[in-house]
Amino acid sequence: MENKTDTLAVRLFGSSISYMRKSLFRILSVGPIPNHIAFILDGNRRYAKKRNLNEGMGYRAGFLSLMTLCKYCCELGVKYVTIYAFSIDNFKRKPHEVDAVMDLMLEKIQGMLKEESIVSQYGVRVYFIGNLELLNEHVRQAAVKAMEATSNNDKIVLLICVAYTSTDEIVHAARESCEAKRARVRSSGAREGNEEELKVVDIERHMYMGVAPDPDILVRTSGETRLSNFLLWQTSNCVLYSPRALWPEIGLRHLVWAVLNYQRVFPLLERRRKQM
Amino acid sequence: MKNIPPILETPKPLHFPDLAAMAAFSLPLHSSFTPSPFKPQLFRHLQRLKLAPHARPPVLSCGSNAAAVTGPTGNEVVVNGIPPDYYADGGSVQLPPSLQRELMPNHVAVIMDGNRRWAGSRNFPIVFGYEAGFRAFKRLIELACNWGIGTLTVFAFSSENWCRPKAETDLLMGLFERILRFELEHFMRENIRISLIGDATKLPKQLQSLLVDAVEATQNNSRLHLIVAANYSGRSDVVQACRKIAFKVKDGLIDPNDINEYLVERELETSCTDFPHPDLLIRTSGELRMSNFLLWQLAYTELYFTNALWPDFGESEFLEALCSFQQRQRRYGGNL
């Protein structure tokens, strides 16, 4: 979003940096570019503590990083970006903290619906992934509205995991598959011996993340190397990367390093995929 | 160099202890005749081993009686390995000073990656890589026993490894059979319980029966629970658990709305242990991937990646992994 009072010098500087970045991305594009990158946004509270800010400011700084990274991914040619915004386990945190995050989320989702938002500017289609029934009414309605409003955008897809854990997703998929099978059996009449076994495709069809392919890279910031119940099913053959930087400190160099690591192992992963 | 073992003698049929002995002797021979950039790496771990003055030097133990391999001169071969009685008085846990008892993981999972690369970097045939990998595996078991880790899961063979050349998979199956035959007595003596996860039906029949016998024979052991993942895939595990639940739904035993995480976890193959979720997962050889190992169970597991290849993974590398684990802050999504 451009500030109209920017001086010419600032605008020129901004566009030359942008030009250099796009040139760097063009060089990277010589190798394979990941189709889908997932991020675990870890370290917002530690960032706020480090800078002596209150926790709410840590999350806002995190949001700015998110928008920047989405912009970079769009310029690089990444088609899907998934972020772990709020886990079901995070409901265990202090109530005022959970409320602060929910309020920020509501504010930003409503911001997405505006014409001049970054989402419209970059053609971002937004999905909210997770057990949305656990969210409060306002946030859930805003999320549904945002999904509808951005359904025509097609440059890049942003999947925001809220009230999500991978185990909950698998349980939900199992539940839906069993109900679907039961409905099929009932509608086709009780036919003994016509029972098909549950297959991988049945479960994958009912996953929340069924709208996107499996991620190629999973980035977790703040140096922690664990999955924290995020995309366990989808990251079985995904490259993991955990930079020490906290989420609000993440920058272009981390994205470039992650992509370079991916390009290094890409031939091996492709060979495995073909063999399977 | 005195009394170099005659490697180029009239070849005699090789069997398991001989092969390992040959590897042990040929390693110093190769390093002296063919100086290579890898030379320092061969003995890097030896330099880091700190022995108490009274302790015997570590010996290579590969036979079923954990006997030391001695050369024709009678000298013991010094290779990275811990003799069973290095840590004193049988039964009690003696941790190195850098580890804290209360922060030790209950369950450690290991992806033993890098055997072929280890052999390739030394211009050995692949079988040497796997044999060296097995020795590292034995070291890990001894360390786990000595340091009081309750459960150890090892990724022996993935369902994706069937894509490898048939000669290699046959070699691996042969190696597993020999290990089970020679090592079962050792596991019984060390009070180690073996469990198997994965689809055993695709393995050779002989290996299947050996595995079943091993699992039955050791089921009452309690010092260390060794879970071997053979022909295992994390996704298949979750799918088979969901399938069992779908059958129960079909039979009217449960309603789809009653399906929860507890039900799924009970049907997973790792329900054979009290601690199905590893606290720490170690993957060697620098690869930063899960490779379809233990999907559901890794939800909150601390991951540790090391560049060391699996045959080079010894006490110092394991200590480093455990120290790194003990410094982590595990929040499980909640407050600090």
Side-chain angles (χ1 to χ4, degrees), chain A residues 46 89-90 92-93 167 171 175 179 182 198 204 214 225-226 228-229 232-233 236 240 275-276, chain B residues 160 163 235 243 256-257 259 261 288-289 291-292 295 299-303 328-329 331-334:
Chain A
R46 269 168 282 175
D89 298 317
N90 293 152
K92 289 189 292 202
R93 292 186 177 174
T167 45
V171 164
R175 212 180 278 146
E179 284 198 13
R182 197 162 70 165
L198 204 68
E204 284 188 335
D214 290 347
T225 37
R226 48 177 184 258
S228 291
N229 218 337
L232 300 173
W233 178 274
S236 46
L240 307 171
Q275 281 171 347
M276 300 304 293
Chain B
E160 284 146 20
C163 302
R235 278 197 187 179
R243 206 175 279 153
N257 291 322
I259 299 175
E261 294 179 19
L288 304 169
R289 293 191 300 277
S291 296
N292 211 355
L295 193 152
Y300 298 101
T301 304
E302 297 291 333
L303 311 172
R328 309 243 180 134
Q329 277 190 327
R331 296 184 292 271
Y332 299 94

Side-chain angles (χ1 to χ4, degrees), chain B residues 14-25:
Chain B
L14 292 171
H15 63 279
F16 178 56
D18 270 358
L19 210 56
M22 215 173 93
F25 290 120

Side-chain angles (χ1 to χ4, degrees), chain A residues 112 119 124-128 143 146-148 150-151 153 156-160:
Chain A
M112 269 184 215
V119 152
V124 183
R125 178 166 187 180
V126 177
Y127 281 104
F128 285 90
M147 282 197 275
E148 277 167 21
T150 57
S151 54
N153 297 345
I156 185 171
V157 179
L158 175 63
L159 300 109
I160 304 176

Side-chain angles (χ1 to χ4, degrees), chain A residues 86-95 98 102 131 133-136 162-164, chain B residues 333-334:
Chain A
F86 198 83
S87 160
I88 296 177
D89 298 317
N90 293 152
F91 282 116
K92 289 189 292 202
R93 292 186 177 174
K94 299 188 189 107
V98 175
M102 289 294 144
N131 192 352
E133 307 294 318
L134 298 174
L135 295 172
N136 72 47
V162 280
Y164 173 92

Side-chain angles (χ1 to χ4, degrees), chain A residues 17-269:
Chain A
I17 295 284
S18 169
Y19 178 75
M20 281 195 288
R21 186 177 63 241
K22 285 177 185 159
S23 311
L24 175 62
F25 286 159
R26 245 176 259 137
I27 296 170
L28 274 182
S29 304
V30 170
I33 293 293
N35 195 30
H36 182 172
I37 304 183
F39 294 98
I40 300 183
L41 319 185
D42 200 10
N44 297 306
R45 294 184 296 170
R46 269 168 282 175
Y47 178 82
K49 209 164 157 186
K50 198 163 130 181
R51 307 270 163 174
N52 293 321
L53 304 166
N54 68 36
E55 264 177 19
M57 293 311 292
Y59 291 120
R60 284 177 192 274
F63 179 76
L64 289 174
S65 279
L66 172 64
M67 289 296 110
T68 313
L69 228 56
C70 279
K71 187 169 84 166
Y72 293 162
C73 288
C74 194
E75 285 172 6
L76 184 56
V78 177
K79 288 279 173 310
Y80 297 88
V81 172
T82 303
I83 61 165
Y84 201 12
F86 198 83
S87 160
I88 296 177
D89 298 317
N90 293 152
F91 282 116
K92 289 189 292 202
R93 292 186 177 174
K94 299 188 189 107
H96 68 89
E97 212 182 298
V98 175
D99 290 339
V101 175
M102 289 294 144
D103 291 341
L104 176 67
M105 230 186 290
L106 182 62
E107 181 192 322
K108 295 304 174 191
I109 296 174
Q110 285 167 344
M112 269 184 215
L113 298 168
K114 294 193 184 126
E115 273 294 317
E116 65 276 10
S117 70
I118 200 166
V119 152
S120 329
Q121 211 179 343
Y122 282 90
V124 183
R125 178 166 187 180
V126 177
Y127 281 104
F128 285 90
I129 305 282
N131 192 352
L132 301 182
E133 307 294 318
L134 298 174
L135 295 172
N136 72 47
E137 192 60 37
H138 301 293
V139 180
R140 186 171 56 249
Q141 279 179 358
V144 168
K145 233 188 276 185
M147 282 197 275
E148 277 167 21
T150 57
S151 54
N152 292 325
N153 297 345
D154 57 2
K155 280 286 290 295
I156 185 171
V157 179
L158 175 63
L159 300 109
I160 304 176
C161 295
V162 280
Y164 173 92
T165 52
S166 197
T167 45
D168 178 71
E169 182 188 30
I170 294 173
V171 164
H172 170 262
R175 212 180 278 146
E176 296 276 300
S177 323
C178 289
E179 284 198 13
K181 258 169 77 78
R182 197 162 70 165
R184 253 200 325 269
V185 165
R186 277 190 190 148
S187 66
S188 62
R191 247 178 281 167
E192 291 291 337
N194 201 23
E195 291 296 320
E196 284 166 5
E197 274 189 336
L198 204 68
K199 293 194 188 71
V200 176
V201 289
D202 294 321
I203 300 201
E204 284 188 335
R205 201 181 307 143
H206 296 285
M207 289 273 201
Y208 294 134
M209 284 289 294
V211 293
D214 290 347
D216 298 305
I217 306 177
L218 175 67
V219 181
R220 180 176 184 139
T221 50
S222 80
E224 310 277 8
T225 37
R226 48 177 184 258
L227 295 172
S228 291
N229 218 337
F230 182 55
L231 299 184
L232 300 173
W233 178 274
Q234 292 84 352
T235 54
S236 46
N237 278 307
C238 164
V239 178
L240 307 171
Y241 173 54
S242 37
R244 283 195 192 279
L246 303 171
W247 173 252
E249 294 167 351
I250 198 171
L252 180 65
R253 66 189 188 285
H254 302 108
L255 179 67
V256 167
W257 192 245
V259 172
L260 286 172
N261 271 332
Y262 169 75
Q263 291 182 339
R264 190 175 53 85
V265 295
F266 179 78
L268 177 67
L269 293 178

